[in-house]
Amino acid sequence: MVSGNIENRFESLSPQKKDLFLKKLSGLESKQKRVPHANNESQYQLSAMQESFLILGNITEEVAVNHITLSLNIHTEFKEEIFLQSLQIVTERHSMLRSSVVEEGGRARNVIQPQVDMIYSYHNLRAFDKSAKEAESKKLLDTENNKLFVLDRAPLWRVSVLNLESRKFLVHVVMHHMIGDGWSFQVFLNDFLTCYNALDTGVQADLDELLQDYGDYVQWEIERRGEKGEELETYWEQRLRGSTSFLGLETDFPRNPKRQYHSD
């Protein structure tokens, strides 16, 4: 609704005002600060968000709360060789897909491996009847979703393919939140599909040049924190010292006596 209103308002402008608006918009875009590409290290410290995931993982070490998943249905011929080649290209392209998290001296760091062996499994369920197929699919996906990663062993993601029918497949990706999120999952999927379609038609994959990687972002974040970040961290440590770990906020439903991690 909002985008539609904006579009209507833009179309109602005179040609002169449209031109002025576009010039101003172009000027704003040119002023946007990009994260500089400066980090080529194979090791660098965690981002603030990664540190929070590490703390959460240590608190809930027996539960896969830091896993994110992606499922893709394929209704055509599955070409396993091209599929694996495409995953390999994407893995080589994005350093976080080759990263692990190593703790030394009480500090954790991202460690980028030059290459990794993908964690890949293929399950043929075509012989199962409908109800058994559904049950087995759920069992396999639940197992993949809840199998814990060992953070110092790359890669921190895995792929499963379920062959459901002759031309029906389910691709399921599980990734640790330390190396990805919903936005980067979309980048992963777009790059994979670009590579797969290119290899399938025998052409070169047309992938945009990567201007930054996660190490650049971490360096940029560190520089932004600076002395002010340390000051704020000290303030909140003192402010929250002695606070209760439980907030008795009013909830819509009674709190379950057993701790759970379901999103609903």
Side-chain angles (χ1 to χ4, degrees), residues 92-110:
E92 293 173 356
R93 174 174 166 82
H94 296 286
S95 63
M96 289 306 287
L97 298 178
R98 295 178 277 108
S99 71
S100 58
V101 177
V102 177
E103 292 191 66
E104 293 181 357
R107 299 291 296 180
R109 298 179 64 81
N110 291 296

Side-chain angles (χ1 to χ4, degrees), residues 6 13 32 73 77 90 133 136 158 170 176 178 184 187 193 196 202 217 224 235 258-259:
I6 293 175
L13 296 175
Q32 294 294 318
N73 290 299
E77 180 184 1
V90 176
K133 186 180 298 183
E136 185 64 16
R158 52 181 173 261
L170 176 67
H176 198 287
M178 293 290 281
S184 55
V187 174
L193 292 176
Y196 188 93
Y217 168 77
R224 285 199 65 188
Y235 168 80
K258 181 180 179 182
R259 177 178 289 184

Side-chain angles (χ1 to χ4, degrees), residues 12-204:
S12 67
L13 296 175
S14 66
Q16 294 81 5
K17 288 186 177 181
K18 283 183 181 179
D19 185 57
L20 178 62
F21 175 80
L22 293 174
K23 286 181 178 179
K24 288 186 176 181
L25 184 62
S26 177
L28 287 174
E29 290 177 346
S30 65
K31 293 179 182 178
Q32 294 294 318
K33 292 185 178 180
R34 289 185 174 273
V35 177
H37 179 54
N39 192 314
N40 294 309
E41 301 293 330
S42 61
Q43 297 189 29
Y44 49 87
Q45 71 183 67
L46 303 184
S47 67
M49 186 61 70
Q50 285 182 305
E51 289 176 352
S52 68
F53 288 139
L54 186 62
I55 293 171
L56 180 60
N58 290 335
I59 295 173
T60 59
E61 57 184 10
E62 297 301 324
V63 185
V65 294
N66 281 331
H67 292 185
I68 55 177
T69 62
L70 170 72
S71 291
L72 177 66
N73 290 299
I74 297 178
H75 297 276
T76 186
E77 180 184 1
F78 177 72
K79 300 178 180 180
E80 187 175 42
E81 183 178 356
I82 292 178
F83 179 84
L84 294 176
Q85 287 178 356
S86 301
L87 286 178
Q88 186 62 44
I89 293 172
V90 176
T91 302
E92 293 173 356
R93 174 174 166 82
H94 296 286
S95 63
M96 289 306 287
L97 298 178
R98 295 178 277 108
S99 71
S100 58
V101 177
V102 177
E103 292 191 66
E104 293 181 357
R107 299 291 296 180
R109 298 179 64 81
N110 291 296
V111 178
I112 309 301
Q113 306 296 334
Q115 59 184 25
V116 294
D117 295 325
M118 286 183 294
I119 305 174
Y120 166 73
S121 60
Y122 180 93
H123 308 274
N124 190 343
L125 307 183
R126 291 168 61 179
F128 290 79
D129 61 35
K130 183 177 180 181
S131 60
K133 186 180 298 183
E134 291 178 354
E136 185 64 16
S137 297
K138 184 179 185 306
K139 177 182 176 182
L140 289 169
L141 295 183
D142 285 346
T143 298
E144 290 299 315
N145 290 342
N146 292 294
K147 188 189 306 178
L148 298 178
F149 290 98
V150 179
L151 290 182
D152 61 0
R153 299 179 190 172
L156 299 179
W157 62 286
R158 52 181 173 261
V159 182
S160 302
V161 175
L162 278 58
N163 183 189
L164 304 175
E165 297 174 13
S166 61
R167 294 174 67 86
K168 184 177 180 181
F169 300 83
L170 176 67
V171 177
H172 189 70
V173 184
V174 181
M175 184 178 291
H176 198 287
H177 231 325
M178 293 290 281
I179 67 165
D181 55 18
W183 183 86
S184 55
F185 238 150
Q186 189 61 50
V187 174
F188 171 89
L189 179 60
N190 289 342
D191 284 357
F192 166 75
L193 292 176
T194 297
C195 292
Y196 188 93
N197 291 330
L199 291 173
D200 191 33
T201 54
V203 299
Q204 185 74 25

